[in-house]
């Protein structure tokens, strides 16, 4: 079955579009960036998942990060089954939530207090409100190319000038919301210096993906993060690391462990739910004390800390905390990127890649992008051709040239080898 011929995926996609906008419950799944028909997944196991035609793929999305131990890991499935048999949700505190909070505080030392929520969007939205409530300031700084979920204040693109406030990137976001958001360039510390010099005492927070994954993978320079840390301290602004994607992914302790920089607040998600809806925000206790019910910043959630989801997350954390987990994960991610680069070179295709822990970026460009502008110069058309050629060969990459990829503990040498065999054919279509 090639990605162009009719399949049950087409039938399901046509049916889905009758009742759900775009036929999907999250836009990136619709394949609009790469074209073609999204695959409707019926089941997943280890590094694989299967579509509605029964075709098997090596999965390099892993649910956009959560499936770091591999799909349907028996320990995680059993933990979910056992928890579900005790009831699905109580709307009352449980010991499991304490276990999860203690695990997060142990693994991410900058987090002294933490609140569990159900999505990364909730985590960053709540962290923003907390930063504004704790500082009494309204202005926030984010960076072009970073995605922090779909809260109104964060769906904002750069204004006309460095010191001009942002413009909405989405219909439905009032100008009045966007006007409190300054959007600067990623990896340009000099812009932070200028903005803080001019507006420092009005800035509630800076929110950043310390390893960016939503414009494809892009590493922050140490100077970029060190500058924002210094300026936030100097001006009393709150530094928020959005580690929803990088947390427990680029390293056990996330990007803040790799860069050895302590944010004031951290947003987490994905891996800590193991595939079920768990996310979190937390950080300095003196800031978290502003949260209701003890403080004036309100935030709530019917399913926050859900016992079944927390059980999946705790089972996942138990696996990733085992000695050697990240060494093996990083080895396989590096082998993947090195292998793809070698295959591209053999085919004479301009291509490079980057790998950090269990996360990788693939770029149809002669050299690694260093900022948003150079990232946007990567050849999207060639990526899209490569994407579909790999899909035909049974390898499922992120359906966008501007998304990162994810490796699980189940992506072993044999899986990497099988991926190389597929890539050899896929790059040949580009030569
Ligand atoms: P969710 O609300 O989707 O759980 O998390 C939002 C979010 C926040 N912060 C970062 C750094 C994120 O990467 C995300 C979500 N990531 C996307 C992947 N590009 C999720 C996939 C999707 O939107 O369907």
């Amino acid at each position: 079955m090639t990605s162009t011929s009719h399949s049950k995926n087409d039938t399901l996609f046509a049916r889905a579009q009758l009742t759900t906008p775009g036929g999907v419950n999250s836009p990136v799944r619709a394949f609009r960036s790469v074209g073609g028909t999204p695959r409707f997944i019926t089941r997943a196991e280890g590094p694989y998942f299967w579509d509605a035609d029964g075709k098997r793929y090596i999965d390099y999305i892993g649910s956009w990060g959560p499936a770091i131990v591999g799909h349907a890991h028996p320990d995680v499935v059993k933990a979910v089954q056992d928890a579900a048999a005790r009831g699905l949700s109580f709307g009352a505190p449980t010991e499991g939530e304490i276990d999860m909070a203690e695990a997060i505080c142990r693994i991410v030392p900058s987090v002294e207090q933490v609140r569990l929520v159900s999505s990364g969007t909730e985590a960053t939205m709540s962290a923003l409100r907390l930063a504004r409530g704790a500082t009494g300031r309204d202005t926030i700084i984010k960076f072009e190319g970073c995605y922090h979920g779909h809260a109104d204040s964060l769906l904002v693109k750069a204004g006309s000038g460095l010191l001009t406030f942002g413009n909405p990137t989405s219909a439905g976001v009032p100008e009045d919301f966007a006007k409190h958001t300054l959007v600067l360039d990623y990896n340009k510390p000099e812009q932070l210096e200028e903005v803080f010099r001019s507006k420092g005492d009005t800035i509630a927070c800076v929110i950043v993906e310390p390893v960016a994954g939503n414009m494809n993978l892009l590493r922050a320079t140490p100077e970029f993060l060190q500058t924002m840390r210094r300026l936030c301290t100097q001006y009393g602004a709150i530094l928020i690391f959005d580690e929803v994607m990088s947390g427990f992914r680029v390293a056990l302790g996330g990007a803040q462990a790799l860069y050895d920089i302590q944010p004031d607040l951290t947003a987490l998600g994905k891996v800590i739910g193991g595939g079920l809806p768990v996310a979190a925000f937390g950080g300095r206790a003196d800031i978290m004390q502003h949260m209701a019910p003890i403080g004036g910043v309100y935030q709530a959630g019917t399913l926050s800390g859900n016992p079944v989801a927390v059980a999946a997350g705790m089972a996942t954390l138990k696996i990733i905390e085992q000695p050697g987990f990240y060494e093996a994960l990083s080895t396989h991610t590096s082998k993947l990127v090195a292998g793809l680069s070698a295959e591209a070179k053999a085919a004479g295709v301009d291509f490079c890649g980057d790998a950090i822990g269990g996360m990788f970026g693939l770029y149809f460009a002669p050299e690694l992008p260093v900022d948003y502008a150079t990232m946007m110069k990567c050849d999207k058309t060639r990526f899209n051709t490569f994407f579909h050629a790999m899909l035909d060969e049974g390898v499922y990459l992120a359906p966008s040239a501007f998304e990162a990829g994810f490796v699980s503990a189940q992506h072993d040498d044999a899986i990497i080898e099988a991926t190389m065999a597929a890539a050899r054919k896929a790059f040949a279509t580009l030569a």
Side-chain angles (χ1 to χ4, degrees), residues 70-86:
H71 288 297
H73 189 291
D75 295 358
V76 178
V77 171
K78 183 165 186 324
V80 169
Q81 289 170 331
D82 292 350
R86 295 192 296 271

Side-chain angles (χ1 to χ4, degrees), residues 25-29 61 63-65 118-124 146-151 154 207-215 242-246 267-270 277-279 359 402-404 406:
N25 287 304
S26 198
V28 72
R29 302 176 189 173
I61 290 192
S63 180
W64 301 95
S118 301
S119 72
T121 293
E122 267 195 277
T124 57
C146 287
Y147 174 69
H148 303 290
H150 59 89
L154 292 164
I207 184 167
V208 68
E209 290 182 67
V211 169
N214 288 284
M215 57 176 118
D242 177 354
E243 298 228 46
V244 167
M245 183 184 280
S246 57
L268 297 164
K270 295 180 190 282
V278 178
M359 193 167 155
F402 303 110
E403 291 283 358
F406 305 93

Side-chain angles (χ1 to χ4, degrees), residues 263-308:
D264 301 306
L265 292 177
T266 299
L268 297 164
K270 295 180 190 282
V271 167
I272 56 171
L276 293 191
V278 178
F281 67 100
R284 283 172 31 200
D286 64 307
I287 297 175
M288 292 299 285
Q289 298 306 303
H290 288 272
M291 292 306 298
I294 52 179
V297 179
Y298 194 71
Q299 176 273 334
T302 302
L303 298 178
S304 295
N306 174 271
V308 180

Side-chain angles (χ1 to χ4, degrees), residues 127-410:
L128 278 193
R129 184 179 311 129
L130 173 55
R132 285 171 161 157
T135 61
R137 302 173 181 177
D138 294 338
T139 302
I140 65 171
I141 290 175
K142 75 175 289 285
F143 300 92
E144 187 136 43
C146 287
Y147 174 69
H148 303 290
H150 59 89
D152 284 347
S153 293
L154 292 164
L155 292 178
V156 176
K157 62 179 181 285
S160 55
L162 190 55
L163 296 178
T164 55
F165 290 105
N167 304 309
T169 55
S170 166
V173 175
E175 291 287 343
D176 276 358
F177 280 52
K179 75 181 185 184
H180 297 296
T181 304
L182 284 169
V183 183
L184 306 185
D185 291 329
Y186 199 83
N187 278 343
K188 296 275 192 302
E190 64 279 7
Q191 292 184 6
L192 282 161
E193 299 278 7
E194 184 180 347
V195 168
F196 269 92
R197 202 170 24 253
S198 154
K199 296 175 179 284
D201 57 1
T202 69
I203 294 168
C205 67
V206 176
I207 184 167
V208 68
E209 290 182 67
V211 169
N214 288 284
M215 57 176 118
N216 205 326
L217 169 64
L218 181 60
R219 294 170 186 258
T221 62
E223 186 197 3
F224 178 54
L225 298 181
Q226 288 158 2
T227 300
M228 63 180 72
R229 175 64 281 171
R230 169 172 52 81
L231 291 167
C232 284
T233 303
Q234 182 180 344
Y235 287 89
I238 289 174
L239 178 56
I240 303 173
F241 274 11
D242 177 354
E243 298 228 46
V244 167
M245 183 184 280
S246 57
F248 313 98
R249 170 59 65 177
V250 298
L252 179 60
Q256 57 193 274
L258 289 183
Y259 286 86
D260 192 22
I261 292 181
Q262 289 228 349
D264 301 306
L265 292 177
T266 299
L268 297 164
K270 295 180 190 282
V271 167
I272 56 171
L276 293 191
V278 178
F281 67 100
R284 283 172 31 200
D286 64 307
I287 297 175
M288 292 299 285
Q289 298 306 303
H290 288 272
M291 292 306 298
I294 52 179
V297 179
Y298 194 71
Q299 176 273 334
T302 302
L303 298 178
S304 295
N306 174 271
V308 180
V310 165
M314 289 304 289
T316 299
L317 292 183
K318 190 174 176 188
I319 296 165
I320 67 175
E321 281 200 271
Q322 287 167 7
F325 182 89
Y326 284 88
E327 288 73 9
L329 188 72
S330 302
T331 298
H332 286 119
T333 314
S334 299
K335 274 185 180 176
L336 171 74
V337 168
L340 291 174
S341 300
E343 294 297 343
K345 187 174 181 184
V349 174
D350 268 349
F351 172 92
C352 57
D354 195 6
I356 311 177
M359 193 167 155
F360 64 89
L362 308 179
Y363 319 97
F364 282 86
E367 54 195 32
L368 284 182
V370 293
D371 56 22
Y372 182 76
T374 50
M375 184 68 79
M376 289 304 114
K377 291 188 179 123
C378 293
D379 190 328
K380 177 182 171 185
T381 304
R382 303 207 99 188
F383 171 82
N384 290 356
T385 304
F386 181 72
F387 171 84
H388 280 289
M390 290 290 266
L391 204 60
D392 288 347
E393 293 299 326
V395 176
Y396 193 112
L397 299 171
S400 164
F402 303 110
E403 291 283 358
F406 305 93
V407 169
S408 85
Q410 305 301 318

